[in-house]
Amino acid sequence: MHARARVPGVMLFALLISACVTDAQFLAQNTSAATQTTESRAKFELDCPQVQTTSLSQKVVQSIQQGYGWRGGGMHAGPWTEYTIGVRGCGRQAVYMALCRDPANCNAFAQGAEVQPVLPATSQ
């Protein structure tokens, strides 16, 4: 019951903080960290020292998570930035989702279970 009593306070705090920064500013603040986090993960998964990234989409999401998720126990209120980033390197490509709370707190997840080979472009 005590955790439920904190929900309105946590939501109010998140709302006040998010009101100070526009979505565009929040996205810009986290873009570099999201790209670097994704590049590091992709270099490992693609086994490729040089990769190129392409931003496919970005948005600000609001969320409340309770329980023991990837960030540990407790309650976490949004906002988060979410980026979909395509990565190519060493003849392979993959798509990742990067989630950032702030520049020091980002994580990238592969969007699919498999890495695709990059096929040469054909002219018709």
Side-chain angles (χ1 to χ4, degrees), residues 13-57:
F13 179 73
L15 180 63
L16 290 173
I17 288 177
S18 66
C20 298
V21 177
T22 67
D23 284 357
Q25 290 169 326
F26 192 35
L27 287 163
Q29 166 188 316
N30 291 337
T31 298
S32 180
T35 301
Q36 289 174 352
T37 300
T38 302
E39 284 180 1
S40 295
R41 176 111 189 208
K43 286 177 181 180
F44 175 79
E45 289 183 347
L46 299 176
D47 191 22
C48 184
Q50 295 293 320
V51 296
Q52 292 180 312
T53 60
T54 303
S55 178
L56 303 175
S57 69

Side-chain angles (χ1 to χ4, degrees), residues 62-80:
Q62 301 289 331
S63 67
I64 292 181
Q65 175 186 353
Q66 263 186 306
Y68 298 95
W70 64 274
R71 291 216 36 214
M75 180 160 300
H76 309 288
W80 294 77

